[in-house]
């Protein structure tokens, strides 16, 4: 992208917060003013929500940028904050996790149960020689032991590195090697799509390539046969037999908490490093502010996998540090039927639901009649994360899930930011469908041009963060230079211009006429059509606003006349006829529809109707692969793809398609 991004889409719908929610909201409008007047003082107040063994001496040390230290000199134990202190406050019998296995088996785990299990796991890890600073890899399905394992590591000061259950041998081995992990915690398998899906064989193969691993701790979940090696130990024969007493020791505020690998677009995965005090402060605060948690009455459900940062921050650390009751679900949304999610909402009377646009669009494709079969009236707040949510998907979510009355919080953040950065406050913000609205109190996000100048309202450009924030990544594990090069070298001091250190997130965004922020996707995906920088997000949202479309992915393909031309891959809604002429007509309609919504410059050269799109495990569309298809190249790296057969289908469909005017 050379200059700024076009602002093509305009949205006039707006939804004020429900009056009752606004009146009782945890965070009110004054928080913005307070944070602007004294940013560090504001974050100190949020840190005070936690229990510290020793208070910090300095709020922020930014003397060696871009390496930040927050709450310098302070000491705390994260597991104590997430578990023990609730039990001490008399909430031992309160359910922390209602767990729902895919086959329908359930467990309810109270804070007292959690304290027992986390203490036992901490004792076992200690017996296995794990000490503060050591790394533990976690490769588990969505079972409560995943949260227990993470908290046990945090309790003894060991770093966890959670690897998505289902990643390949190579992906697991590379991550174990990069972190030099001592122990892997895994399971025989988990349930996916109605059957057991083994994990242990992948671990066996990976561990054979990883001499650093001394022990493999195995949870029995499916009961399927496993091959047993000399490093292997059963969880139920060790952890569940261990002492239930464990004294949590306080760690320095900057003691490392976890590494989480993000694949990025190219190259070797980056081990994003988070530390203790700042991370927990921001995650705990944002959870309370953005989801407006009322711990006595709310039932929270974040549908993310624990292997994604969303699972770390808003299944484990955010909810548990706030003493929430939440749902954890093991399986897929269509097992054994496409109403499974809504059945769970109905069964547990979920009040706050946090999910991803990919899921919402899938539900749109499956049809409105499915959520309509369930009682979703318990829901009072909805959230979205992971990708831009198209205005039409947002409206669908509000109408079909949120019974036209739940506020929707579209939350922008990254593995690197640790916690939510840009989001409405549900009791304050009048939301616009498709916009993440404004930075949270204490966060300074901006949209700039290629000279790092703030763009005016109505303009588009690069999303940057101008001030350090408590839950920011501290470095890339083992590679400080890559940390500087990747995030701090595009703008500002790190780029040799100005005095400010400016973090560049990799995303494009625009400010609308009211200054609200609209995320426009990764800048690597921006299309340059006849000299205009057009975001994939705006064209995708225009397509999704057509009543026949559930989901769309757009890429720029080399074009002899326009430089790049827009190629769209589109999934029709479930009830739409696409056979023969009907399909041709729909394609023409869609091209005209986009031209009408955004202007002729954004009219796709070519539209393909497809059944599926390539996605990562966290549901993000992999446009890179679609670009390969659109430009008739062989496919790049597909190892992080959720379902590798999708690309074969799309490629074979592409052969027969033709370009138009
Ligand atoms: C939490 C998470 C980060 C990237 C981020 C952006 C995209 C996330 C978004 C969003 C638009 C939102 N993203 N939330 N885009 N609106 N509400 O997703 O972390 O997996 O590291 O991905 O996801 O592109 O830069 P991570």
């Amino acid at each position: 992208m050379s200059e700024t991004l076009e602002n093509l889409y305009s949205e006039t719908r707006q939804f004020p917060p429900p009056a009752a929610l606004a009146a009782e909201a945890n965070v009110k409008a004054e928080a913005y003013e307070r944070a602007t007047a004294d940013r560090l003082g504001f974050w100190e107040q949020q840190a005070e929500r936690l229990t510290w063994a020793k208070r910090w001496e300095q709020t922020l040390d930014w003397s060696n940028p871009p390496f930040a230290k927050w709450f310098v000199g302070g000491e705390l134990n994260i597991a104590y904050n997430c578990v023990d202190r609730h039990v001490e406050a008399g909430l031992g019998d309160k359910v922390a996790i209602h767990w729902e296995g895919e086959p329908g088996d359930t467990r309810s785990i109270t804070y007292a149960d959690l304290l027992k299990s986390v203490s036992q796991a901490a004792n076992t890890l200690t017996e296995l020689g794990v000490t503060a600073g050591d790394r533990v890899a976690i490769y588990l399905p969505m079972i409560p032991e995943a949260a227990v394992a993470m908290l046990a590591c945090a309790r003894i000061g060991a770093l966890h590195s959670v690897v998505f259950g289902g990643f390949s041998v190579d992906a697991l081995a590379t991550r174990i090697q990069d972190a030099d992990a001592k122990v892997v915690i895994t399971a025989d398998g988990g349930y996916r799509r109605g059957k057991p899906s083994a994990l242990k064989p992948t671990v066996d193969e990976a561990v054979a390539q990883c001499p650093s691993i001394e022990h493999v701790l195995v949870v029995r979940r499916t009961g399927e046969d496993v091959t047993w090696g000399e490093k292997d130990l059963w969880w139920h024969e060790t952890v569940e037999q261990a002492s239930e007493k464990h004294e949590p020791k306080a760690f320095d505020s900057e003691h490392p908490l976890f590494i989480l690998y993000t694949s990025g677009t190219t190259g070797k995965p980056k081990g994003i490093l988070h530390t203790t005090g700042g991370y927990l402060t921001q995650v705990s605060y944002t959870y309370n502010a953005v989801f407006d948690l009322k711990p006595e009455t709310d039932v929270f459900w974040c549908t993310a996998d624990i292997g994604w940062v969303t699972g770390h921050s808003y299944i484990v650390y955010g909810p548990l540090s706030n003493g929430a009751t939440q749902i954890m679900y093991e399986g897929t949304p269509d097992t054994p039927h496409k109403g499974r999610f809504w059945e769970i909402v109905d069964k547990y009377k979920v009040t706050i639901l946090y999910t991803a646009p990919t899921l919402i669009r899938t539900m749109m494709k499956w049809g409105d009649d499915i959520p309509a079969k369930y009682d979703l009236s318990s829901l009072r707040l909805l959230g979205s994360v992971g990708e831009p949510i198209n205005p039409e998907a947002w409206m669908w979510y509000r109408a079909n899930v949120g019974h036209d009355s739940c506020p929707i919080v579209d939350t922008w953040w990254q593995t690197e930011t640790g916690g939510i950065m840009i989001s409405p406050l549900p009791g304050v913000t009048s939301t616009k469908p498709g916009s993440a609205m404004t930075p949270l109190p204490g966060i300074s996000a901006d949209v700039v041009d290629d000279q790092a100048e703030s763009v005016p309202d109505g303009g588009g450009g690069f999303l940057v963060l101008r001030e350090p924030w408590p839950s920011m990544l501290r470095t890339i594990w083992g590679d400080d230079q890559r940390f500087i090069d990747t995030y701090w070298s595009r703008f500002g001091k790190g780029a040799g211009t100005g005095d400010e250190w400016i973090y560049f997130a990799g995303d494009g965004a625009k400010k609308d006429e009211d200054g609200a922020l609209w995320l426009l996707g990764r800048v690597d995906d921006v299309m340059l059509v006849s000299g205009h920088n057009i975001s994939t997000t705006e064209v995708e949202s225009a397509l999704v606003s057509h009543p026949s479309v559930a989901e769309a992915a757009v890429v720029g393909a080399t074009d002899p006349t326009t430089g790049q031309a827009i190629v769209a891959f589109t999934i029709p809604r479930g009830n739409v006829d696409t056979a023969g002429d009907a399909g041709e007509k729909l394609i023409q309609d869609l091209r005209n529809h986009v031209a009408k919504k955004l202007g002729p410059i954004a009219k796709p050269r070519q539209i393909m109707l497809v059944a599926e799109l390539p996605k990562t495990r966290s549901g993000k569309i992999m446009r890179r692969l679609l670009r390969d298809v659109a430009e008739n190249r062989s496919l790049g790296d597909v190892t992080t793809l959720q379902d590798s057969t999708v690309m074969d289908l799309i490629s074979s469909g592409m052969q027969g398609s033709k370009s138009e005017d």
Side-chain angles (χ1 to χ4, degrees):
M1 181 166 67
S2 58
E3 289 170 1
T4 52
L5 263 173
E6 300 286 330
N7 171 9
L8 301 175
Y9 185 90
S10 79
E11 175 62 66
T12 52
R13 293 169 289 197
Q14 196 155 357
F15 299 91
L21 191 151
E24 298 295 322
N26 291 351
V27 179
K28 304 254 175 39
E30 62 75 39
Y32 293 105
E33 291 142 41
R34 195 154 33 96
T36 308
D38 179 8
R39 189 172 58 92
L40 296 183
F42 173 83
W43 283 119
E44 287 204 71
Q45 287 168 351
Q46 308 325 323
E48 279 157 9
R49 300 179 68 254
L50 306 178
T51 306
W52 295 75
K54 179 166 167 261
R55 196 185 159 90
W56 58 94
E57 283 135 29
Q58 188 187 0
T59 312
L60 168 66
D61 176 357
W62 190 232
S63 60
N64 180 30
F67 301 93
K69 291 185 181 153
W70 281 86
F71 308 112
V72 184
E75 288 180 8
L76 73 168
N77 185 288
I78 290 226
Y80 175 85
N81 273 276
C82 291
V83 186
D84 308 45
R85 65 169 176 160
H86 306 310
V87 178
E88 288 172 10
L91 298 171
D93 292 338
K94 179 174 180 178
V95 173
I97 300 173
H98 286 292
W99 176 78
E100 173 101 4
E102 198 191 74
D105 49 338
T106 61
R107 286 159 68 184
S108 283
I109 295 158
T110 64
Y111 277 95
D113 296 334
L114 207 51
L115 176 57
K116 175 180 156 207
S117 302
V118 170
S119 300
Q120 290 182 310
N123 282 323
T124 301
L125 288 173
T126 305
E127 277 164 36
L128 295 179
V130 178
T131 57
D134 286 345
R135 277 79 57 204
V136 173
I138 298 180
Y139 185 75
L140 282 170
M142 283 292 284
I143 54 177
E145 284 79 1
V148 170
M150 289 164 74
L151 289 165
C153 289
R155 193 175 185 90
I156 61 170
L159 290 73
H160 55 71
S161 161
V162 182
V163 180
F164 221 114
F167 266 177
S168 63
V169 172
D170 262 10
L172 178 59
T174 332
R175 284 160 175 77
I176 292 175
Q177 287 158 0
D178 186 72
D180 211 12
K182 238 180 173 172
V183 169
V184 191
I185 305 179
T186 187
D188 48 2
Y191 287 91
R192 300 236 17 117
R193 301 187 197 289
K195 48 181 193 303
S197 159
L199 290 178
K200 180 78 171 32
T202 309
V203 176
D204 292 343
E205 266 192 73
V207 167
Q209 307 167 29
C210 299
S212 67
I213 295 295
E214 295 169 14
H215 304 283
V216 179
L217 201 48
V218 188
V219 178
R220 190 161 65 193
R221 163 63 183 137
T222 61
E224 301 233 295
D225 286 344
V226 288
T227 314
W228 211 244
E230 57 189 20
K231 295 179 177 175
D232 298 339
L233 297 162
W234 281 116
W235 177 279
H236 59 268
E237 289 176 356
T238 51
V239 176
E240 287 174 15
Q241 312 305 322
S243 158
E244 297 170 14
K245 292 269 169 289
H246 183 273
E247 202 55 50
K249 179 175 160 291
F251 292 97
D252 189 90
S253 178
E254 282 300 330
H255 186 78
L257 174 63
F258 67 81
I259 305 170
L260 183 58
Y261 288 86
T262 66
S263 48
T265 41
T266 49
K268 118 174 202 276
K270 303 188 283 278
I272 304 301
L273 181 73
H274 283 286
T275 60
T276 300
Y279 173 81
L280 194 66
T281 295
Q282 187 168 337
V283 164
S284 193
Y285 169 69
T286 52
Y287 181 72
N288 174 264
V290 172
F291 300 110
D292 190 45
L293 180 88
K294 307 291 191 240
E296 292 80 35
T297 46
D298 275 321
V299 179
F300 176 78
W301 185 19
C302 168
T303 68
D305 191 280
I306 213 126
W308 183 22
V309 70
T310 306
H312 285 54
S313 299
Y314 298 106
I315 294 178
V316 180
Y317 296 111
L320 298 177
S321 63
N322 281 285
T325 294
Q326 67 177 326
I327 310 301
M328 184 174 181
Y329 172 55
E330 178 183 35
T332 54
D334 52 355
T335 308
H337 57 79
K338 290 183 169 136
R340 184 72 189 267
F341 268 33
W342 314 124
E343 189 177 73
I344 292 173
V345 169
D346 192 347
K347 172 174 174 188
Y348 293 98
K349 301 296 168 219
V350 173
T351 59
I352 306 169
L353 179 68
Y354 191 32
T355 191
T358 179
L359 204 119
I360 298 164
R361 293 186 302 251
T362 302
M363 300 291 183
M364 275 169 76
K365 177 174 74 180
W366 289 344
D368 306 0
D369 51 319
I370 297 174
K373 279 188 227 145
Y374 299 89
D375 178 6
L376 307 181
S377 62
S378 56
L379 287 168
R380 66 175 197 96
L381 187 89
L382 305 175
S384 171
V385 58
E387 284 183 301
I389 174 166
N390 323 96
E392 234 32 62
W394 195 103
M395 290 301 294
W396 186 92
Y397 194 26
R398 180 179 155 90
N400 293 279
V401 181
H403 33 84
D404 278 319
S405 59
C406 295
I408 298 180
V409 289
D410 173 12
T411 62
W412 178 88
W413 57 294
Q414 308 178 297
T415 306
E416 291 87 342
T417 70
I420 298 174
M421 303 290 283
I422 306 177
S423 165
L425 282 178
V428 179
T429 317
S430 278
T431 51
K432 302 181 184 192
S435 171
M437 300 305 295
T438 49
L440 289 178
I443 299 299
S444 59
D446 196 5
V447 183
V448 299
D449 63 17
D450 55 359
Q451 301 300 309
E453 295 292 337
S454 204
V455 305
D457 288 350
F462 305 87
L463 181 73
V464 298
L465 302 167
R466 290 189 183 276
E467 300 283 358
W469 62 99
S471 64
M472 68 196 284
L473 78 165
R474 296 305 194 259
T475 190
I476 292 175
W477 179 254
D479 202 343
D480 287 348
Q481 192 55 47
R482 192 173 177 203
F483 168 62
I484 298 172
D485 295 344
T486 309
Y487 304 107
W488 304 92
S489 300
R490 180 86 175 245
F491 299 107
K493 183 121 182 190
T497 53
D499 298 326
E500 248 187 311
W501 281 85
I502 301 178
Y503 172 90
F504 173 51
D507 285 342
K510 69 177 188 187
K511 296 177 188 167
D512 70 14
E513 277 59 33
D514 304 324
L517 298 176
W518 294 73
L519 275 302
L520 296 179
R522 310 293 296 175
V523 292
D524 309 335
D525 292 333
V526 165
M527 305 172 289
L528 186 57
V529 182
S530 306
H532 297 266
N533 285 305
I534 298 180
S535 91
T536 50
T537 303
E538 292 209 311
V539 181
E540 288 162 5
S541 289
L543 285 162
V544 175
S545 75
H546 189 282
S548 299
V549 174
E551 187 151 29
V554 160
V555 297
T558 311
D559 184 272
T561 39
T562 56
Q564 279 191 318
I566 300 176
V567 177
F569 298 80
T570 303
I571 304 181
R573 290 212 198 190
N575 53 354
V576 175
D577 175 19
T578 56
D581 285 354
E584 279 307 309
K585 179 168 176 312
L586 176 60
I587 288 173
Q588 284 315 324
D589 275 1
L590 292 177
R591 295 179 66 234
N592 294 332
H593 177 78
V594 175
K596 199 165 140 225
K597 277 237 123 126
L598 303 182
I601 186 73
K603 186 172 186 173
R605 177 185 77 186
Q606 190 177 3
I607 293 183
M608 298 257 315
L609 301 179
V610 295
E612 279 303 336
L613 290 169
K615 288 178 189 163
T616 65
R617 312 271 165 162
S618 66
K620 293 188 213 302
I621 297 172
M622 292 178 77
R623 290 181 191 74
R624 173 171 63 75
L625 296 179
L626 294 173
R627 222 158 26 231
D628 291 342
V629 173
E631 296 187 330
N632 295 315
R633 264 192 311 274
S634 58
L635 290 183
D637 182 15
V638 292
T639 47
T640 53
L641 206 59
Q642 192 173 35
D643 173 1
S644 55
T645 59
V646 167
M647 286 317 298
D648 302 338
L649 277 173
I650 295 177
S651 309
S652 62
M654 191 74 188
Q655 314 296 316
S657 80
K658 54 181 191 291
S659 307
E660 309 276 339
D661 45 302

